[in-house]
Structure formats: C-alpha cells, structure tokens
Amino acid sequence: MRKVIGAAFVSLDGVMQAPGLPTEDPTGDFKLGGWLAKYFDGAVGERVDALFAEPFDLLLGRRTYDIFAAYWPFVEGENKGIGERFDRAAKFVVTRGEQPLDWQNSHRLADLDALARTRRGEGPSLVIQGSGTFYPQILAAGLIDRLVLMTFPVVLGSGKRLFGEGTPPRSMRMVEHQFTPTGAVIAEYEPSGEVEPGSLDATGKASRAELERREKIAEGAW
C-alpha cells in the first residue's frame, strides 16, 4: 500500500496560499504571493530535496495542478532538476471536472473513493503539494499517513489555510522536527486518533462562581 504524505509551507496563522511567486494564486484578492522567498534557506531546501529524493508520485487538486503544469515542465536554472522529476512522476489529480489533463503522465481521480483505491495499490508514496482544500477531506477519511509542515515566522492575516472549514478534530503525533537559520520550524506528524479531552485542574472542585458560570452556559446566557 502507498503512503500519502502531505507537505506544506505555512505561515504562523496557517496560510499556505501562493508561497512561491507573487502571481502564483491571487484568488480571493490575495496580495502577498511570494511570501516564502525571504525565509527559504539552505535547510529548507535540503528538506524539500529529501522529500523528493525517493521515488514519488504527486497528488494534486485541480487548481494546484494547473499552477504546476504551467510552471514546472518549462522551468530552467537551479529548479530544473525538481522540474524534471515532477515531469516524470505520475500526477494524480482529484477533480470532478472534465477539463483535459495535458501534462504528461497525469491521471484523473473523481473522488476520495478513487484516491483510496489508488492508495491501496502498488507504487511510490503520493506526495501532496499545495492543494489546501484536500486536508479536511483526507483527514476525515483517514487517507493521510504523514504531514510535513514547514512553518515560517510570518503572519499573513488572510488567505487559504491548511486546515480550513470542515476540518475534523484529530490528534497528531510529532515524529521529527528541526529549526532553520531563518526561523522556520520543520516538523513531521502522523495521525494518532481522536482528540481526548482532559482537565488540568488537579483538585476537581468547582467554586460557586464556576458552578454559576456553568449554569449560564447551559441556559445559553453566557
């Protein structure tokens, strides 16, 4: 069975939109595209290289696919190597639309059931890049095996967030982490089940004021 690995560049407030280029994805009137460039140091580059060092296929949403297909097959210079790897890799695109997928070795997945079947098959890991709308759905469906988050010291205020509307509550277990010279935190997580609420109150005793507050909550008056 394949593994599904999500890899994302995010701001401190969870925005992952258009990290690479000012013109990458201006939807929603997003004006801060290219916010990652200032923080992309050698350590981040090494971690990205490691992510794609082993055989992989790409798992993309339609919008990210279109962004990638217009850039990576034609890139030159220092990014040409990763562009060639993306070009050779299979691209699995989750989309209900019928628009053609012209980039070589591209495959349409109509829904999460199709993704689950692909995941159960043979082949390399499926690596998600961008495609932020995926995460609530695949987390709920139990289709993500590892999450590589590269979090940078910037607050963007608005934009597409990694875990947006519809995200189910889940616990995650950190399996690896590092810090980079520009202040990025690179951490890897694996899903570890449901959220288990508890209490940090060692006494277990509630004051009269606390009991009154709870009553107001129950009555909808708080």
Side-chain angles (χ1 to χ4, degrees):
M1 187 170 73
R2 299 171 183 250
K3 288 185 177 181
V4 173
I5 301 172
F9 305 117
V10 297
S11 66
L12 286 177
D13 54 339
V15 174
M16 60 183 296
Q17 186 172 359
L21 295 169
T23 57
E24 184 177 340
D25 180 11
T27 55
D29 199 30
F30 187 69
K31 299 183 184 302
L32 296 173
W35 56 267
L36 175 60
K38 176 180 176 180
Y39 306 101
F40 198 99
D41 56 28
V44 174
E46 289 174 4
R47 186 62 192 85
V48 172
D49 287 344
L51 183 66
F52 297 110
E54 300 294 328
F56 67 93
D57 289 335
L58 289 173
L59 176 59
L60 306 169
R62 180 71 211 213
R63 186 179 295 275
T64 300
Y65 174 83
D66 287 342
I67 293 170
F68 276 30
Y71 179 78
W72 287 111
F74 313 103
V75 71
E76 298 291 339
E78 63 181 17
N79 288 328
K80 186 174 178 61
I82 188 67
E84 290 174 343
R85 278 178 275 172
F86 282 3
D87 206 33
R88 291 192 300 268
K91 276 74 68 176
F92 291 91
V93 187
V94 180
T95 177
R96 292 186 176 90
E98 296 299 326
Q99 299 95 329
L101 303 174
D102 293 330
W103 194 3
Q104 69 169 354
N105 207 9
S106 295
H107 310 274
R108 190 185 311 274
L109 299 177
D111 50 32
L112 292 185
D113 289 338
L115 171 56
R117 290 192 296 270
T118 301
R119 178 173 174 260
R120 288 195 297 269
E122 296 296 323
S125 294
L126 297 162
V127 179
I128 305 170
Q129 284 282 277
S131 309
T133 56
F134 269 173
Y135 286 97
Q137 302 171 58
I138 63 175
L139 193 62
L143 294 177
I144 189 162
D145 299 287
R146 182 165 287 210
L147 183 61
V148 182
L149 286 189
M150 302 177 221
T151 305
F152 298 87
V154 59
V155 175
L156 298 175
S158 65
K160 298 174 183 177
R161 283 174 164 77
L162 176 68
F163 291 117
E165 186 176 351
T167 299
R170 294 289 187 274
S171 294
M172 306 294 284
R173 180 174 68 91
M174 183 184 286
V175 295
E176 185 178 325
H177 73 278
Q178 71 179 100
F179 308 99
T180 82
T182 57
V185 178
I186 303 175
E188 297 192 25
Y189 301 90
E190 293 177 350
S192 61
E194 302 295 325
V195 176
E196 300 178 6
S199 175
L200 295 177
D201 182 3
T203 68
K205 296 179 180 180
S207 66
R208 179 180 295 277
E210 170 61 12
L211 293 174
E212 291 175 353
R213 187 186 71 87
R214 294 178 188 176
E215 288 181 6
K216 290 179 181 179
I217 293 173
E219 294 169 356
W222 189 77

